[in-house]
Amino acid sequence: MSGTSSFTPYISPVVRQFEPYVAGRSIAEIKEAFGLERVIKLASNENPLGCSPRVQEVLREQAALAFRYPQAGNPRLVQAIAAHHGVDPARVITSDGSDEVIDLLFRVCARPGVHNVVAFKPCFGIYTTQARFAGVELRQTPLNPDFTMDFDALLRLVDKNTAMVFVTSPDNPSGRAASRESLARLAGALPEHCMLVVDEAYIDFVRAERGGEAAFTMIPVLDEHPNVAVVRTFSKSRSMAGVRLGYGILPGDLASYLWRVRLPFSVSLLAEEAGIVAINDDAFHAETLRVVEEGRRQLEAGLTALGCTVTPSDANFICFSHPAMNDAAAVNDKLLRQGVIVRGLASYGLPDHIRVSVGTAEENSLFLDALAGALPGAQA
Ligand SMILES: *Cc1c(COP(=O)(O)O)cnc(C)c1O
């Protein structure tokens, strides 16, 4: 079909305002474009160890069952998730990536044209797009210049029509984590009808010296905070970004409403089986955390040595700038030519910042070497 299809006038006006999603450039594309043999991708915060061997094994084993529908309600996966976190299974909703839980929360909790949702700026792109698609106003207050979070400013945007407040912790793209105390205080200060949604996609990467996930996740205190919902994903530390699996741990009655409207088979049979294995794959998870902790130290030291300003990160990526780098796109382009894909942050409103995912020790070195030659003022 051509782009001038005569059906455009009949498309919903909300949808007509959307631009096509622009994905990052793939390894294959960059190899082809610059005639490179090796390209490393440190752009999407994927697991540096690749896919867990046990997850690969279960995907192979279950391949023959791919003709079957998954079990509606994913009861075994829900049990596994609930047992892992020590929560009531009634609180758990599984989803096609955590993106789907976020999308469902907008549709279930907010009424189009009536309600608003509050978040920091910048925030994860899915909050922005799904708010728009749901017809819900998104109100934003800027993060502080050092990317710390001003919760009082967030609270000032909340009114009687605020359905939800979204906080990503650790945040993307900054890597900063909010303390449990500050989130608990925020939840307590919100009106009863307003849900605090905490996106914990990166929570298990919180530095061990700060107490790690156990000290930061809101899951253990959910019973004390009836208006808090937690969103999690298998895409990062559990190495399954391509399988698509996420979940929410919600107030029980809210979970039951999401279940009523979630597409019945949005979590595939393969995702369900892989998830049950992945959530119990303690050895792989521990190794992932070890490699990320070491790699983060390596990148922080290397970036600092190159004169970069590094935001302290509790995630598996690092956000940085450089005094001479006004336009990260030019640096990005030089990195691409050397076979290194990272994430420029122009779409987050940070055109002078780059986000790099923590890779293996070798990938981190390759990136740092390439960056040394790509920063403004470097000898080509
Ligand atoms: C990567 C990421 C997710 C995970 O999304 P999936 O749909 O589960 O792959 C969620 N929230 C944030 C902030 C992220 O960066």
Side-chain angles (χ1 to χ4, degrees):
M1 292 295 283
S2 81
T4 55
S5 152
S6 61
F7 208 71
T8 296
Y10 313 115
I11 301 294
S12 145
V14 164
V15 174
R16 259 186 279 156
Q17 288 165 19
F18 272 73
E19 298 294 328
Y21 178 76
V22 184
R25 298 180 73 182
S26 70
I27 290 179
E29 221 181 311
I30 297 304
K31 277 186 179 168
E32 164 93 29
F34 301 114
L36 296 165
E37 295 227 318
R38 174 154 195 210
V39 170
I40 60 171
K41 180 167 173 247
L42 299 174
S44 304
N45 309 335
E46 292 149 347
N47 194 304
L49 299 178
C51 184
S52 146
R54 291 190 55 199
V55 168
Q56 294 185 43
E57 191 186 325
V58 70
L59 289 173
R60 273 194 299 272
E61 277 170 18
Q62 297 292 327
L65 285 175
F67 73 104
R68 292 221 182 271
Y69 280 101
Q71 215 176 342
N74 312 122
R76 288 161 49 245
L77 175 59
V78 165
Q79 278 298 337
I81 291 168
H84 175 77
H85 290 297
V87 299
D88 183 345
R91 280 182 171 279
V92 178
I93 171 100
T94 57
S95 60
D96 179 3
S98 57
D99 291 352
E100 189 186 24
V101 188
I102 295 165
D103 181 60
L104 287 171
L105 285 169
F106 277 106
R107 291 161 195 276
V108 169
C109 297
R111 254 172 295 154
V114 175
H115 287 135
N116 64 75
V117 166
V118 167
F120 286 112
K121 192 180 185 81
C123 70
F124 187 44
I126 295 292
Y127 311 161
T128 320
T129 54
Q130 301 322 108
R132 264 172 85 195
F133 192 22
V136 172
E137 179 197 355
L138 178 67
R139 298 181 175 178
Q140 293 180 279
T141 186
L143 289 166
N144 294 322
D146 65 353
F147 299 112
T148 52
M149 302 176 192
D150 180 349
F151 291 110
D152 292 329
L154 206 58
L155 262 176
R156 282 196 289 275
L157 296 180
V158 172
D159 66 17
K160 66 179 196 332
N161 289 323
T162 304
M164 295 182 287
V165 171
F166 273 83
V167 175
T168 314
S169 176
D171 199 13
N172 178 8
S174 76
R176 285 208 186 261
S179 73
R180 180 185 286 156
E181 295 65 37
S182 62
L183 291 172
R185 223 176 303 123
L186 175 63
L190 292 173
E192 190 183 83
H193 63 262
C194 181
M195 180 79 53
L196 171 61
V197 181
V198 186
D199 184 340
E200 296 190 346
Y202 301 99
I203 196 92
D204 30 5
F205 298 116
V206 170
R207 285 164 199 262
E209 76 220 36
R210 310 219 300 138
E213 171 180 352
F216 278 75
T217 174
M218 293 302 280
I219 294 175
V221 298
L222 289 179
D223 285 341
E224 298 153 43
H225 300 283
N227 63 334
V228 175
V230 169
V231 177
R232 292 278 192 124
T233 181
F234 281 80
S235 294
K236 312 286 162 48
S237 63
R238 304 283 172 183
S239 77
M240 286 170 42
V243 179
R244 311 303 303 134
L245 183 62
Y247 56 101
I249 301 182
L250 316 178
D253 54 347
L254 179 57
S256 109
Y257 285 106
L258 264 72
W259 275 115
R260 295 177 207 191
V261 295
R262 199 204 77 171
L263 292 173
F265 306 117
S266 69
V267 171
S268 77
L269 181 138
L270 295 177
E272 179 180 34
E273 296 297 337
I276 294 167
V277 166
I279 199 128
N280 293 307
D281 196 352
D282 295 338
F284 179 83
H285 188 247
E287 180 63 2
T288 297
L289 299 196
R290 189 189 67 74
V291 168
V292 166
E293 187 124 22
E294 268 183 23
R296 200 162 43 193
R297 246 179 277 135
Q298 179 190 3
L299 286 175
E300 275 173 352
L303 287 166
T304 306
L306 290 172
C308 296
T309 307
V310 177
T311 305
S313 171
D314 274 304
N316 67 336
F317 54 82
I318 290 184
C319 177
F320 67 93
S321 59
H322 185 279
M325 182 174 77
N326 300 317
D327 178 16
V331 173
N332 234 327
D333 198 58
K334 285 188 184 164
L335 290 175
L336 283 180
R337 285 165 198 279
Q338 296 186 69
V340 178
I341 313 177
V342 294
R343 181 76 155 81
L345 296 177
S347 69
Y348 284 89
L350 301 166
D352 54 350
H353 282 70
I354 286 177
R355 188 190 70 197
V356 58
S357 309
V358 178
T360 61
E362 192 202 4
E363 289 171 331
N364 299 334
S365 295
L366 287 170
F367 157 73
L368 288 168
D369 289 347
L371 183 69
L375 284 170
Q379 314 297 353

